[in-house]
């Protein structure tokens, strides 16, 4: 292999307990590629660097959770031009471009690893399949989100040019592929990852795999906050739902739902403990990014500048008005904290715990925030239930009804009325309403509106679906050089 010097982004993924480290890594710098990948530690460091990139503010550290994807669907009070869909605004264009660049930077990091794994002797890596499967899963996941952001509405544009699918670590131009071609590449990577991760230690250790396992290889550590076997299943379920393949979407969703010894829907006792409310609903996370710097990034935007805020009628519209809602919904009760300044705001409390005994009614000030949930949700169990519910709708509506009610009951809502059990139209609407209630501050609702190509529901009235609304602009520089 040609000797080269690469800038390899290294970092730390810490455990959910602040005192444990996943990897002891050397400082950021230039590392000879042959030396870097001569053992498993170098491979794992490169994976860690990828996760660090994905937690940047341009990616899931803000924009793809709280940021413009949630602004577009009008979750927040007006912040900037995304609220008005002014996609030509220079500031907003810069934000889109930042996401595009950071996501492809993460893909490049994964491709560097995969390229060196391909050129290495498989026998010298005890956990070769685990590492490669994780890398392929990450590459597919990031490309899928890029397609869902910048690609065409698939109901009308399957054969249109969409994005590049990068499979090599190089500076060579990659031409844009059709959406159908990109979907084919994503499917190939995910299915290979699914096979490679068939013996993932998360199957044996379950939620314990979120913590430091004594006397286990580094590749076994913190599987619950990485692209593990079930994260690949979840991505496959999401992928096949996007393609409209209900049977395959249900197959992979059901595999997660059936893993009840590992993943369970929320229970009331999960919310409260000695440290205050656990609002992340952690037991439902299929996988998440661990962000050690969340307080200075997302935390500042939420709890210091109050950039992302709502008014009380908006909360009522989402949780009480739509979809057989209730003021007792745990999400309504616990996720929202009141801030009284010159104006009264409500801010999302999902990412931090407080010592307030009643966070729903108390005024929250900065000093009250004590414990940060340093997790950025990527796939959670409730979404898997919604995917399975939709996949069953045409052939087994009562099962759709049952699955929706399982999530509703876990959120302290009453089951849907019995006479809706076979009402496909109403059940489909209920799935959308549950998406609206569930994914505030997680960046998921935009994708659901775009996939269905349906009007955005707001308190002021619905916003008509259009390709101009849902197809975010690709950076001009990319179109000039690779979009032919």
């Amino acid at each position: 292999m040609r000797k080269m010097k690469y800038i390899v982004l290294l970092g730390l993924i810490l455990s959910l307990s602040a005192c444990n480290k996943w990897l002891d890594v050397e400082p950021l710098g230039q590392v000879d590629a042959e030396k870097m990948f001569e053992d498993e530690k170098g491979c794992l460091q490169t994976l860690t660097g990828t996760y660090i990139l994905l937690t940047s503010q341009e990616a899931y550290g803000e924009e793809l959770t709280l940021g413009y994807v949630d602004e577009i669907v009008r979750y927040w009070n007006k912040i900037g031009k995304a609220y008005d869909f002014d996609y030509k605004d220079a500031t907003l264009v810069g934000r889109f471009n930042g996401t595009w660049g950071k996501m492809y930077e993460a893909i490049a990091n994964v491709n560097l690893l995969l390229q060196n794994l391909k050129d290495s002797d498989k026998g010298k890596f005890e956990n070769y399949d685990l590492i490669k499967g994780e890398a392929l899963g990450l590459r597919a996941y990031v490309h899928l989100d890029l397609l869902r952001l910048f690609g065409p509405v698939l109901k009308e544009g399957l054969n249109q040019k969409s994005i590049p699918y990068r499979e090599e670590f190089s500076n060579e131009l990659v031409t844009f592929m059709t959406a159908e071609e990109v979907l084919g590449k994503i499917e190939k990577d995910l299915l290979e990852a699914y096979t490679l991760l068939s013996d993932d230690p998360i199957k044996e250790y379950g939620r314990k795999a979120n913590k430091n396992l004594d006397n286990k290889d580094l590749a076994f550590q913190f599987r619950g906050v990485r692209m593990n076997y079930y994260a690949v299943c979840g991505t496959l379920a999401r992928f096949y739902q996007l393609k409209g393949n209900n049977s395959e979407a249900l197959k992979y969703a059901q595999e997660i739902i059936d893993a009840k010894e590992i993943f369970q829907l929320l229970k009331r006792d999960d919310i409260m403990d000695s440290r205050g409310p656990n609002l992340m609903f952690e037991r439902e996370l299929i996988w998440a990014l661990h962000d050690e710097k969340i307080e200075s990034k997302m935390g500042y935007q939420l709890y210091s500048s109050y950039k992302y805020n709502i008014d009380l009628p908006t909360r009522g519209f989402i949780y009480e008005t739509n979809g057989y809602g209730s003021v007792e919904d745990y999400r309504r009760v616990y996720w929202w904290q009141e801030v009284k300044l010159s104006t009264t705001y409500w801010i999302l409390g999902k990412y931090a715990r407080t010592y307030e005994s009643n966070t729903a009614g108390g005024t929250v000030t900065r000093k009250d925030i004590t414990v940060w949930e340093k997790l950025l949700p990527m796939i959670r169990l409730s979404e898997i239930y919604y995917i399975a519910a939709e996949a069953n709708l045409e052939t087994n509506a009562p099962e759709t009804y049952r699955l929706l009610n399982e999530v509703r009951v876990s959120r302290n809502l009453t089951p849907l009325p019995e006479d809706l059990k076979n009402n496909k139209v109403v059940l489909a609407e209920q799935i959308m309403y549950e998406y609206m209630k569930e994914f505030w501050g997680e960046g998921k609702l935009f994708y659901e509106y775009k996939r269905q190509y349906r009007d955005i529901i707001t308190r002021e009235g619905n916003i008509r679906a259009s390709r101009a609304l849902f197809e975010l602009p690709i950076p001009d520089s990319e179109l000039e050089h690779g979009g032919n």
Side-chain angles (χ1 to χ4, degrees), residues 212-484:
N212 192 358
L213 300 173
D214 294 336
N215 303 317
K216 292 294 180 183
D217 293 332
L218 290 173
F220 279 55
Q221 308 299 347
F222 313 112
R223 299 301 300 170
V225 289
R226 288 158 61 174
M227 175 56 71
N228 56 57
Y229 174 82
Y230 291 107
V232 170
C233 288
T235 309
L236 278 163
R238 189 185 283 175
F239 167 82
Y240 283 117
Q241 182 191 53
L242 181 65
K243 287 193 70 176
N245 188 331
N246 288 332
S247 61
E248 289 299 296
L250 180 59
K251 169 187 171 182
Y252 292 104
Q254 196 65 50
E255 189 164 351
I256 297 172
I257 292 171
D258 289 343
K260 296 186 184 300
E261 70 283 0
I262 303 176
F263 307 108
Q264 305 94 30
L265 288 170
L266 176 75
K267 295 180 180 178
R268 174 64 177 82
D269 292 344
D270 298 326
I271 297 177
M272 300 300 296
D273 64 22
S274 60
R275 297 189 299 169
N278 175 0
L279 306 178
M280 185 53 67
F281 301 173
E282 184 182 320
R283 69 187 289 156
E284 295 187 2
L285 294 179
I286 310 303
W287 84 290
L289 292 170
H290 183 89
D291 187 2
E292 186 64 23
K293 298 181 179 179
I294 192 172
E295 183 173 1
S296 63
K297 297 187 303 185
M298 183 183 291
Y300 174 80
Q301 303 288 21
L302 279 170
Y303 301 104
S304 294
S305 71
Y306 305 121
K307 176 181 177 182
Y308 299 103
N309 63 76
I310 66 169
D311 52 29
L312 199 56
T314 299
R315 186 179 74 163
F317 174 75
I318 298 294
Y319 291 109
E320 300 163 40
T321 303
N322 291 308
Y324 296 91
S326 167
V327 296
E328 302 299 324
D329 189 321
Y330 286 151
R331 296 164 295 194
R332 178 197 175 279
V333 172
Y334 291 107
W335 278 354
W336 298 99
Q337 301 170 353
E338 186 178 14
V339 176
K340 291 183 178 178
L341 299 172
S342 57
T343 304
T344 297
Y345 299 110
W346 290 80
I347 59 173
L348 186 65
K350 184 183 293 186
Y351 291 96
R353 301 184 186 208
T354 77
Y355 282 116
E356 293 280 327
S357 59
N358 180 11
T359 59
T363 299
V364 176
T365 60
R366 179 66 183 82
K367 63 183 175 62
D368 293 321
I369 297 172
T370 56
V371 179
W372 285 88
E373 305 294 349
K374 298 180 180 180
L375 296 173
L376 305 173
M378 304 293 274
I379 302 177
R380 63 167 66 247
L381 186 58
S382 53
E383 181 188 358
I384 301 304
Y385 268 78
Y386 300 150
I387 291 172
E390 181 181 312
N392 274 295
L393 187 60
E394 289 302 318
T395 58
N396 190 358
E399 178 66 3
T400 298
Y401 173 85
R402 187 191 69 80
L403 289 164
L404 276 177
N405 281 335
E406 279 200 35
V407 183
R408 285 178 60 85
V409 169
S410 78
R411 269 60 176 154
N412 201 36
L413 294 173
T414 58
L416 294 169
E418 183 80 14
D419 60 5
L420 298 182
K421 184 176 291 187
N422 289 292
N423 192 324
K424 297 177 184 179
V425 174
V426 174
L427 289 174
E429 286 299 298
Q430 294 307 309
I431 294 172
M432 174 55 75
Y433 291 142
E434 287 302 314
Y435 268 93
M436 292 171 64
K437 297 171 189 174
E438 185 76 6
F439 295 110
W440 219 313
E442 296 187 24
K444 304 295 188 297
L445 189 58
F446 170 85
Y447 300 124
E448 191 61 15
Y449 279 124
K450 181 173 180 176
R451 179 181 70 86
Q452 295 190 34
Y453 196 40
R454 63 170 293 164
D455 296 351
I456 294 175
I457 302 168
T458 77
R459 182 162 54 94
E460 295 80 14
N462 289 2
I463 299 164
R464 186 175 297 278
S466 69
R467 294 186 60 180
L469 173 62
F470 289 130
E471 296 175 1
L472 304 187
I474 292 170
D476 288 340
S477 59
E478 296 291 334
L479 292 173
E480 291 170 4
H481 295 104
N484 47 16

